[in-house]
Amino acid sequence: MTTLGLIGAGNIGGTLARLAVAAGLDVVVSNSRGPETLAELVKELGDKARAGTPEEAAAAGDLVVVTVPMKAYQQVPGDALVGKVVIDTNNYYPERDGAFADLDAGVATSSELLQRHLPRSRVVKAFNNILFKHLGVLNRPAGATDRTALPIAGDDTDAKTAVAQLLDQLGYDIVDIGPLAESWRTQPGTPVYGTPYAAEQPFWDHPATPADSETIRKAVDSAER
């Protein structure tokens, strides 16, 4: 993989762009407001980054990250993502996104809704359970004793392999938690959401601390609906 496309350039998107450039990848960033609004971020990222439209980011990316509010998922350009592996970082926050009946009833996950919207893409859930500030500092080289793991979920084995390779490049191990239907285990309010990656609680107020694969697996397995 040489290029990461990003649809959305907020806290998680910007952090992933920085990690990707530091790992030697090219990056195409986009948002809903236009490439010109990303000039400062691109300047910070340097020569390996450029801004584009969501369609351009989708076309350029060997893998494409969708990191937009849940309420905007149907605005993601499906035609531009045909055949692509799409990484979904999203979480459902009803107070921000409004109500989604299938999510409230527990009959679908947010990533399954995105997969329905992108039927010719392969969606993998990742990066949704860690605070962006922690994501930006917990990356470690392969083999490091304090390497952190992140959970991923997806319905396509090859797509998950590709995402695992990206995470490895960015400095993280993975814990495969199964299909998209199981991604509820990483939602807000579950034991693996934020908490394992902080020295103290509440996690958003405290410094990052590494969390290995065993720690993450135990947290995922302890989730209850």
Side-chain angles (χ1 to χ4, degrees):
M1 177 189 158
T2 58
T3 302
L4 184 67
L6 289 143
I7 298 176
N11 289 333
I12 289 289
T15 300
L16 288 174
R18 294 179 184 95
L19 290 174
V21 166
L25 301 176
D26 293 324
V27 172
V28 181
V29 294
S30 68
N31 63 15
S32 61
R33 295 179 292 130
E36 66 280 356
T37 66
L38 296 168
E40 185 174 339
L41 175 61
V42 169
K43 182 179 179 181
E44 174 196 340
L45 293 170
D47 293 341
K48 297 190 74 65
R50 64 181 176 90
T53 65
E55 289 80 5
E56 289 169 339
D62 297 301
L63 295 179
V64 181
V65 178
V66 170
T67 180
V68 300
M70 178 69 208
K71 61 185 178 183
Y73 84 92
Q74 291 177 311
Q75 298 172 24
V76 173
D79 289 344
L81 290 165
V82 171
K84 299 278 185 172
V85 175
V86 174
I87 302 172
D88 175 30
T89 79
N90 197 21
N91 287 309
Y92 174 44
Y93 302 105
E95 65 276 11
R96 177 196 68 185
D97 300 317
F100 285 77
D102 283 355
L103 302 185
D104 291 336
V107 298
T109 65
S110 57
S111 289
E112 287 180 300
L113 294 189
L114 182 63
Q115 182 66 83
R116 291 176 194 173
H117 176 63
L118 304 174
R120 294 180 289 172
S121 305
R122 294 173 291 164
V123 174
V124 177
K125 189 75 162 192
F127 301 117
N128 68 300
N129 74 307
I130 185 170
L131 185 68
F132 73 96
K133 292 185 289 187
H134 296 165
L135 177 64
V137 299
L138 285 175
N139 57 313
R140 300 288 189 274
T145 57
D146 61 345
R147 207 178 203 212
T148 286
L150 299 172
I152 68 170
D155 298 337
D156 185 282
T157 299
D158 290 342
K160 286 195 284 188
T161 297
V163 172
Q165 290 171 346
L166 170 66
L167 265 71
D168 183 53
Q169 285 181 279
L170 299 186
Y172 288 91
D173 290 335
I174 67 106
V175 173
D176 185 346
I177 69 169
L180 292 178
E182 290 297 303
S183 62
W184 66 269
R185 295 179 179 274
T186 68
Q187 305 179 150
T190 62
V192 82
Y193 180 78
T195 299
Y197 308 109
E200 299 179 58
Q201 301 304 314
F203 64 83
W204 54 84
D205 282 338
H206 293 282
T209 188
D212 63 14
S213 297
E214 182 179 0
T215 299
I216 298 307
R217 173 61 68 186
K218 288 180 177 177
V220 168
D221 289 347
S222 67
E224 297 179 355
R225 283 194 185 273

